[in-house]
Amino acid sequence: MGDGELRVKQKFAIAVDAPVYALASYGHSSLVFSFGHEISVRSLDWTSKKFVRVAQHELKSPCLRITTDAPYIYITTLMDSTVILTLHNGTLIRHFSDTGTRIGQAHLALLESQVLLVSDRARCVTGLWYPFDGPRGTSLQTVFEAELPSTIFQLRLATLRLPWRPRSALPGVHNIGNEGAEIIGCGLNGSLFQFLVLSEQAWRLLRFIQNLSVRNVTIHPFPEEDRVASHIEPQETSPRSKHVDGDALGRLVASGSATLREMLDAKPRSEINGKSVMDFNSAAARMRRFSTLVKELLGEESGDPVAAAMEYVEALLTPVI
């Protein structure tokens, strides 16, 4: 305005009969918003200079967050988990929906991976896969799930790394579509979380290392019931088995590569403090399998598998701030 002051002037008003919980733009001149249990799409009529209703859809519970990437409208609800709507001929159609019921909190669409990250109030972050060409009514497929110390109330893509501390592209880390961006979560307890979406080869190697680490009381000084009783070889038993704990890997990095080598060379055990565990038949068999996993991810010319794996983990855990 010339005087250094910021002024806000109302140009449009849309009257609804319930509180508005979430709002997002859709296309060049439309809005998607929620009020009560309703989702409404309004489009600006350039002749009348008014927002006219295009479509409306009723949800089972209030909507907490809306994001859009036409033709998709991503919605997190309070009690009905996550749904993806599409607008077709003036009608909002439920195109994808979650198979479970979650007390929703936030979501983030990773378009390149066709994965929708969703957080809930049970302290979980879940990856839901959806096919772009899937038919209407398709169920979202749960591909991974992580239980965290805090509920994630916001998920965002952000570029936070300092210019002199860039992280080059690493094998096994999925492209999220925004160069230099990181997936950041804000916890209700004030903590910040960084998330990476991994390939199967990266998951297998990192989970193998994690399963070794949590059996080591120096690296994992927590109650015995937290120790892995299943085989060190990663098992796809449930979506939660696809979670790699960066804190566990960070404790190993702090301990050093000598600790990883000692664990790989150690004599196999069938129990730890009276609790049965599963292991390879020999230390040599364990090391062979580890070396195979390293080569599958990092290549045949990766050199010493222990040194290569530790270098990879350290690069992966480089903090964003």
Side-chain angles (χ1 to χ4, degrees):
M1 301 298 292
D3 55 6
E5 293 187 9
L6 177 66
R7 292 181 174 87
V8 178
K9 181 180 179 181
Q10 177 179 303
K11 297 196 67 174
F12 303 101
I14 301 174
V16 293
D17 56 7
V20 174
Y21 295 112
L23 172 74
S25 62
Y26 184 79
H28 297 293
S29 58
S30 297
L31 293 174
V32 184
F33 62 93
S34 71
F35 61 98
H37 288 209
E38 301 289 330
I39 293 291
S40 183
V41 179
R42 306 288 177 101
S43 185
L44 179 62
D45 184 315
W46 294 98
T47 302
S48 64
K49 298 293 190 281
K50 294 182 179 180
F51 277 96
V52 297
R53 190 170 83 173
V54 176
Q56 200 151 304
H57 181 81
E58 184 175 0
L59 300 169
K60 294 181 181 179
S61 61
C63 167
L64 300 178
R65 177 163 169 76
I66 302 172
T67 60
T68 65
D69 184 64
Y72 297 116
I73 301 171
Y74 305 90
I75 295 171
T76 292
T77 68
L78 181 62
M79 299 296 293
D80 191 31
S81 191
T82 302
V83 296
I84 302 177
L85 305 178
T86 53
L87 181 62
H88 182 70
N89 292 334
T91 303
L92 282 170
I93 299 170
R94 184 177 289 224
H95 204 111
F96 302 102
S97 58
D98 196 353
T99 56
T101 299
R102 312 172 201 272
I103 304 177
Q105 184 64 48
H107 70 254
L108 176 65
L110 305 177
L111 304 178
E112 292 291 325
S113 302
Q114 294 177 241
V115 169
L116 188 65
L117 279 186
V118 300
S119 67
D120 59 45
R121 300 189 185 185
R123 297 186 291 112
C124 288
V125 169
T126 304
L128 303 173
W129 180 79
Y130 59 98
F132 285 136
D133 57 353
R136 297 170 189 168
T138 301
S139 295
L140 295 164
Q141 179 182 343
T142 301
V143 289
F144 57 80
E145 186 173 69
E147 184 177 358
L148 303 175
S150 172
T151 292
I152 302 299
F153 74 91
Q154 289 286 1
L155 286 163
R156 291 287 189 272
L157 290 179
T159 303
L160 301 175
R161 290 185 185 273
L162 298 173
W164 55 88
R165 289 177 58 187
R167 185 180 66 196
S168 57
L170 291 172
V173 178
H174 276 290
N175 176 27
I176 58 175
N178 293 57
E179 186 176 354
E182 312 280 351
I183 305 171
I184 303 297
C186 299
L188 282 175
N189 62 359
S191 55
L192 284 177
F193 294 80
Q194 178 193 357
F195 300 98
L196 299 172
V197 180
L198 303 171
S199 68
E200 182 174 351
Q201 291 88 346
W203 166 75
R204 287 195 178 279
L205 174 61
L206 296 173
R207 188 70 194 208
F208 186 103
I209 296 173
Q210 177 182 322
N211 289 348
L212 266 178
S213 299
V214 297
R215 296 184 179 189
N216 185 305
V217 294
T218 302
I219 300 173
H220 193 77
F222 301 109
E224 291 296 325
E225 57 266 22
D226 288 346
R227 305 197 189 284
V228 175
S230 58
H231 205 284
I232 293 171
E233 178 71 29
Q235 309 293 315
E236 297 185 57
T237 54
S238 70
R240 290 201 178 187
S241 70
K242 304 304 282 287
H243 171 218
V244 175
D245 186 350
D247 290 338
L249 297 180
R251 290 191 292 270
L252 173 62
V253 169
S255 184
S257 59
T259 301
L260 175 58
R261 197 178 299 275
E262 289 172 6
M263 292 189 297
L264 289 165
D265 290 337
K267 181 180 177 181
R269 292 188 290 177
S270 60
E271 66 175 43
I272 299 177
N273 294 339
K275 182 178 180 180
S276 296
V277 296
M278 299 177 67
D279 202 343
F280 289 87
N281 293 329
S282 67
R286 188 195 300 124
M287 180 62 85
R288 281 196 301 271
R289 180 55 180 156
F290 174 77
S291 299
T292 298
L293 293 174
V294 171
K295 290 178 180 178
E296 287 177 350
L297 176 63
L298 303 179
E300 292 289 337
E301 306 301 322
S302 52
D304 175 27
V306 174
M310 286 297 290
E311 183 180 349
Y312 177 74
V313 172
E314 288 183 33
L316 206 65
L317 297 181
T318 302
V320 297
I321 298 176

